[in-house]
């Protein structure tokens, strides 16, 4: 609870609003592919964007070039960090541009592509700490459904127990939270809707602050479940404090490490 109030302060500072006017919301790393499924008759190049934001509010943070960005396919990692290009965006209610990162990749081989991202540490003055969100998304390619349940081996990550593509609105997403490869019992997982999801007809307004970020807790084995009530992209973030610190002006500061996973849901029509 405390943490979410501080996040509200961060938003206030960064949107140059009155501190008390900042809505409660959480930070999320985001990997946004132009498609979550690439079909054999449509093997087009995929645009993949990396962003750092408050998804429900549509507030974007300035993002430095990620430390590491790539995908895992059939047990092999491909590094795409050097292919990332900086892009500028502007969200409706912010009077400044923000930087995000983009690349294009053509998925030529069948199987699941687990895209992953390790960002540069983000300094959050309102919370007096750094934030590092290890982020993942799965793109299914050319008909072979294999690989989505493989851990990438990140410092912390969510490993899906639900196949993370081809999901209908209303489906549940179940995942396991890992820290250094081990389950995190009773991890707290924050869930947010990407209000600017492609295909989302109208922005969702939160009736009050608790609606912005949904919160679920994992069980004793680090397993959590959430049912997604709307078509679009949904982000899941499990947060831990790192054992290590990073220095800010020579002073060691705590580091929030997040395991973030994104899934897309479509309406049954
Ligand atoms: Cu922020």
């Amino acid at each position: 609870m405390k943490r979410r109030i501080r996040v509200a302060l961060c938003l206030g500072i960064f949107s140059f609003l009155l501190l008390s006017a900042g809505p409660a919301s959480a930070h999320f790393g985001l990997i946004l592919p132009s498609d979550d499924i690439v079909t054999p008759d449509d093997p087009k190049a995929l645009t993949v964007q990396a962003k750092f934001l408050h998804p429900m509010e549509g507030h974007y943070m300035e993002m430095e070039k990620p430390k590491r960005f790539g995908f895992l396919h059939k047990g092999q990692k491909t590094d795409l960090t050097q292919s990332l290009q900086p892009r500028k965006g502007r969200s409706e209610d912010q009077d400044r541009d923000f930087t995000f990162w983009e690349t294009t990749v053509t998925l030529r081989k069948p199987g699941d592509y687990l895209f992953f991202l390790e960002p540069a540490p983000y300094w959050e003055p309102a919370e007096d700490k750094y934030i590092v969100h290890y982020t993942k998304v799965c793109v299914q390619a050319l008909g072979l459904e294999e690989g989505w349940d493989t851990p990438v081996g990140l410092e912390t990550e969510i490993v899906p127990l639900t196949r993370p593509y081809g999901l209908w609105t209303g489906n549940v997403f179940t995942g396991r939270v890992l820290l250094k490869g081990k389950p995190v019992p009773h991890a707290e997982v924050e869930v947010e809707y990407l209000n600017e999801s492609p295909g989302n007809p109208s922005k969702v307004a939160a009736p009050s602050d608790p609606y912005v970020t949904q919160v679920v807790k994992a069980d004793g084995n680090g397993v959590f479940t959430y049912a997604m009530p709307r078509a679009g992209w949904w982000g899941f973030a499990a947060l831990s404090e790192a054992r290590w610190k990073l220095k800010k002006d020579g002073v060691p500061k705590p580091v929030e490490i997040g395991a973030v996973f994104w899934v897309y849901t479509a309406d049954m029509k």
Side-chain angles (χ1 to χ4, degrees), residues 8-251:
L9 293 179
C10 134
L11 261 182
I13 289 167
F14 278 88
S15 17
F16 306 100
L17 299 169
L18 286 175
L19 290 183
S20 59
S25 65
H27 292 92
F28 280 71
L30 169 65
I31 304 176
L32 186 63
S34 51
D35 237 320
D36 65 330
I37 298 169
V38 175
T39 55
D41 42 303
D42 188 21
K44 62 178 185 301
L46 206 66
T47 304
V48 187
Q49 298 178 337
K51 298 176 175 179
F52 188 51
L53 77 166
H54 302 276
M56 184 69 175
E57 301 293 338
H59 287 263
Y60 291 83
M61 260 68 70
E62 182 67 16
M63 191 187 199
E64 275 181 52
K65 185 168 189 179
K67 259 191 175 170
R68 201 155 68 106
F69 176 81
F71 61 73
L72 175 70
H73 174 259
K74 289 202 162 175
Q76 271 207 309
K77 280 182 195 154
T78 300
D79 194 286
L80 300 171
T81 315
Q82 291 318 314
S83 73
L84 288 172
Q85 297 295 318
R87 297 275 186 268
K88 290 281 178 198
R90 181 177 279 255
S91 41
E92 291 159 26
D93 46 357
Q94 278 170 305
D95 52 359
R96 60 183 174 83
D97 289 340
F98 63 89
T99 307
F100 65 97
W101 298 84
E102 189 176 284
T103 189
T104 51
V105 51
T106 304
L107 310 184
R108 298 179 196 282
K109 293 180 189 157
D112 295 332
Y113 287 73
L114 273 166
F115 285 88
F116 60 88
L117 160 73
E118 181 188 346
Y122 176 84
W123 172 246
E124 178 49 83
E127 300 183 58
D128 197 38
K129 69 182 180 191
Y130 281 98
I131 301 176
V132 177
H133 280 184
Y134 299 84
T135 304
K136 299 198 299 185
V137 73
C138 184
V139 176
Q140 202 279 312
L142 311 175
L144 179 67
E145 299 181 8
E146 225 173 83
W148 55 265
D149 51 355
T150 316
V152 169
L154 303 172
E155 167 116 5
T156 182
E157 64 183 305
I158 289 172
V159 176
L161 296 173
T162 303
R163 190 193 59 180
Y165 46 79
L167 296 169
W168 296 115
T169 306
N171 275 21
V172 298
F173 177 71
T174 300
R176 192 192 302 275
V177 182
L178 300 183
L179 180 63
K180 292 188 185 295
K182 297 212 174 70
V184 183
H186 316 297
E188 191 170 291
V189 181
E190 298 182 333
V191 186
E192 280 201 29
Y193 179 64
L194 181 65
N195 227 335
E196 291 171 8
S197 285
N200 181 27
S202 59
K203 270 200 156 189
V204 183
S208 59
D209 283 354
Y211 288 90
V212 174
T213 308
Q214 300 293 311
V215 179
V216 294
K217 290 196 78 170
D219 66 12
N221 298 312
V223 174
F224 69 89
T225 293
Y226 179 78
M228 298 155 291
R230 192 180 178 86
W233 285 98
W234 288 88
F236 298 85
L239 310 176
S240 312
E241 188 170 324
R243 295 245 176 105
W244 36 278
K245 304 225 175 209
L246 287 171
K247 281 187 179 168
K248 174 77 180 166
D249 306 323
V251 184

